[in-house]
Amino acid sequence: MAKWGEGDPRWIVEERADATNVNNWHWTERDATNWSSDKLKSLLLGLSVENDEGSCEVTEVSKLEGEASINNRKGKLIFFYEWNLKATWAGKSKSGIKYKGTIEIPNLSDENDMDDLDISISLNKDEPETPLVQLMKSKGAEKIRRALGSYVGFLKTEFTQGMILPTANGVVQLQSNSQSTAKTDKTQISSSSSTAAPVNTGVKIPTCKFSMRETFLTSPADLYRVFVNQEMTQAFTHAVATVDGERGGKFRLLDGNVFGEFTELVPDEKIVMKWRYNNWPCEHYAIITLSFMDRRSETELKVDCRGVPDNDEERTKDGWKRYYFEAIKQTFGYGARLF
């Protein structure tokens, strides 16, 4: 696991222009297969849906066959990817009955639009019939489609950093050879006209903001401590965590999948933090503000999120509901009244 401040070489966003290739004349290619495999797994694993019948979750990506690459020719980025995926989903009815099924996606490629993907969802043999299959075929398939769309977006932002050198005009427009991905090819990289100085080739990320509210049957002081106390954080995440509950203090939890820094702390009232998933573009953080409001016998928590990547909005919302709200209530008993 990388230490704080250490960067993955893929994410270096400053690059000195090669005077022999200032117009990106030469053909260069980067293999994105291994990166894509990891990214697809991270986007699909844990994806969940629920309704009145029960809940379902993607528990395993059992097959990932294919390849991905990016070519740079005269300042144009040409994307190629072709994948055949197979995954496992598990369901649980409200009555506690468990089910298992499969997900097959044979045609994730640059030639197909996301709406044209074949997402086949079925129940394993010998499993009893359940309405949860329809839940997966509707809400589940839609979430899977959005997750795969996120993969394409990340391929064109995260993985391409450093591939484009500045042209004589100082501006390079990303382009694709696929009509299906034309909507996401609006990102532009600007740089200095000088070829002697390092040039920032970072890509701007479309972001969104949203708010969530949740009620906990405890005091603001007790709920506040859950977020800034290392032992309490480890308790509700059920894993080793690092939490320095002071202004400027770092935190890392959920096996390193989430980390950030506390930027403002008002005891029992407010927490402001820089917060990110580990697979977001390097150094990109959302700003999360937690406001604790005393409602006599309970506390209303308002969570304001700014700077979340557009294509990760639903995963971020689901993550906060599942790994924060629900986990805190189950661990500390803040979700049920005791009479």
Side-chain angles (χ1 to χ4, degrees):
M1 182 180 296
K3 298 180 180 178
W4 283 96
E6 292 182 348
D8 186 324
R10 291 189 306 239
W11 312 138
I12 296 175
V13 296
E14 290 193 349
E15 182 170 324
R16 186 178 298 275
D18 182 348
T20 64
N21 192 28
V22 295
N23 289 307
N24 299 282
W25 183 266
H26 303 302
W27 183 285
T28 59
E29 180 175 347
R30 179 180 291 180
D31 185 1
T33 301
N34 290 336
W35 176 90
S36 294
S37 179
D38 292 340
K39 179 64 70 175
L40 286 166
K41 288 180 181 179
S42 71
L43 290 170
L44 292 173
L45 284 176
L47 187 151
S48 63
V49 291
E50 63 179 324
N51 62 9
D52 293 339
E53 299 292 341
S55 60
C56 302
E57 178 179 346
V58 178
T59 57
E60 180 186 6
V61 178
S62 54
K63 183 173 77 171
L64 260 176
E65 294 180 348
E67 58 182 326
S69 63
I70 304 174
N71 294 294
N72 172 17
R73 175 64 169 171
K74 296 184 179 179
K76 295 181 180 180
L77 292 184
I78 303 172
F79 300 87
F80 169 80
Y81 55 93
E82 187 172 8
W83 294 98
N84 182 354
L85 297 85
K86 187 173 182 180
T88 300
W89 65 271
K92 186 176 181 180
S93 69
K94 290 294 185 180
S95 60
I97 302 175
K98 297 181 179 180
Y99 304 88
K100 283 189 176 181
T102 58
I103 304 165
E104 295 188 62
I105 307 164
N107 64 334
L108 175 61
S109 76
D110 57 290
E111 297 181 353
N112 295 316
D113 189 86
M114 284 299 146
D115 292 335
D116 297 327
L117 285 183
D118 294 327
I119 301 178
S120 176
I121 295 174
S122 60
L123 195 64
N124 287 353
K125 292 182 179 179
D126 301 325
E127 292 278 354
E129 291 297 321
T130 171
L132 294 180
V133 176
Q134 187 56 41
L135 172 63
M136 280 299 295
K137 288 184 176 181
S138 55
K139 291 184 178 180
E142 182 58 31
K143 276 202 169 185
I144 291 169
R145 201 179 302 277
R146 287 203 300 264
L148 298 178
S150 295
Y151 156 70
V152 176
F154 283 128
L155 181 66
K156 295 182 177 183
T157 54
E158 286 187 1
F159 197 77
T160 58
Q161 293 188 23
M163 283 196 72
I164 296 291
L165 299 180
T167 65
N169 295 327
V171 176
V172 176
Q173 182 74 32
L174 298 187
Q175 298 186 25
S176 169
N177 63 334
S178 169
Q179 292 182 350
S180 66
T181 55
K183 294 180 181 179
T184 58
D185 290 334
K186 299 177 182 179
T187 309
Q188 176 171 295
I189 300 175
S190 299
S191 62
S192 168
S193 59
S194 169
T195 59
V199 178
N200 190 326
T201 58
V203 178
K204 288 186 177 179
I205 304 168
T207 62
C208 63
K209 61 181 180 179
F210 55 86
S211 297
M212 297 179 287
R213 292 177 183 267
E214 192 75 12
T215 300
F216 297 83
L217 299 178
T218 187
S219 67
D222 286 344
L223 186 58
Y224 176 91
R225 286 195 301 117
V226 169
F227 290 93
V228 298
N229 180 278
Q230 180 166 302
E231 287 72 22
M232 296 184 77
T233 300
Q234 289 182 153
F236 79 78
T237 59
H238 305 290
V240 175
T242 300
V243 179
D244 181 4
E246 297 182 356
R247 182 175 180 180
K250 305 289 196 299
F251 59 85
R252 181 179 289 267
L253 52 148
L254 296 171
D255 295 323
N257 287 307
V258 168
F259 57 90
E261 176 183 335
F262 296 112
T263 58
E264 182 181 353
L265 295 172
V266 180
D268 310 338
E269 294 182 14
K270 184 169 72 171
I271 296 174
V272 182
M273 64 181 89
K274 293 167 55 181
W275 185 99
R276 59 174 275 130
Y277 279 121
N278 69 349
N279 60 357
W280 284 358
C282 184
E283 298 305 319
H284 179 81
Y285 288 84
I287 302 300
I288 309 291
T289 301
L290 308 181
S291 300
F292 302 81
M293 291 162 281
D294 193 348
R295 304 297 187 217
R296 294 188 179 181
S297 61
E298 56 191 27
T299 298
E300 181 181 354
L301 176 66
K302 182 183 179 185
V303 181
D304 293 307
C305 305
R306 293 187 294 110
V308 174
D310 273 348
N311 51 17
D312 229 5
E313 178 180 356
E314 289 303 316
R315 183 169 74 110
T316 304
K317 288 180 178 177
D318 290 344
W320 270 86
K321 291 176 182 177
R322 179 178 180 184
Y323 296 109
Y324 282 94
F325 301 163
E326 293 176 9
I328 289 172
K329 289 182 178 182
Q330 291 173 3
T331 301
F332 301 109
Y334 294 165
R337 293 184 182 277
L338 299 177
F339 295 96

